[in-house]
């Protein structure tokens, strides 16, 4: 890994340690919402069968409720 990647990795690690759990949970929820929305709005049904269950499992494991029920 080059020095730029090492610096970025260290900065992200430090930032994650500073974030409060509820802020991080909200960020994960937002990211999952975007993924679920894109998958739901696509005409491809294969991604519905693969990605949406994965998103549900991530939500369950990390206790990130889907308050808007997109996926």
């Amino acid at each position: 890994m080059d020095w730029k990647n090492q610096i970025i990795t260290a900065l992200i690690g430090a930032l994650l340690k500073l974030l409060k759990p509820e802020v991080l949970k909200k960020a994960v929820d937002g990211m999952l919402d975007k993924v679920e929305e894109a998958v739901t709005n696509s005409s491809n049904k294969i991604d519905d069968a693969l990605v949406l269950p994965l998103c549900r499992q991530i939500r369950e494991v990390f206790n990130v409720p889907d308050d808007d029920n997109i996926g």
Side-chain angles (χ1 to χ4, degrees), residues 4-71:
K4 291 178 188 178
N5 288 338
Q6 289 176 335
I7 290 173
I8 291 170
T9 300
L11 288 173
I12 290 173
L15 180 62
L16 289 175
K17 288 180 184 177
L18 294 173
L19 289 176
K20 293 182 179 181
E22 59 271 9
V23 173
L24 192 54
K25 189 179 275 192
K26 190 169 186 146
V28 170
D29 179 41
M31 178 194 68
L32 289 170
D33 284 345
K34 292 295 183 189
V35 170
E36 292 163 346
E37 183 178 351
V39 168
T40 302
N41 292 336
S42 76
S43 61
N44 182 347
K45 296 303 174 195
I46 294 172
D47 61 358
D48 292 5
L50 296 174
V51 176
L52 292 178
L54 183 58
C55 288
R56 280 192 291 275
Q57 185 160 1
I58 291 170
R59 286 185 181 283
E60 183 179 318
V61 168
F62 293 103
N63 191 26
V64 179
D66 188 8
D67 297 334
D68 52 15
N69 295 313
I70 291 173

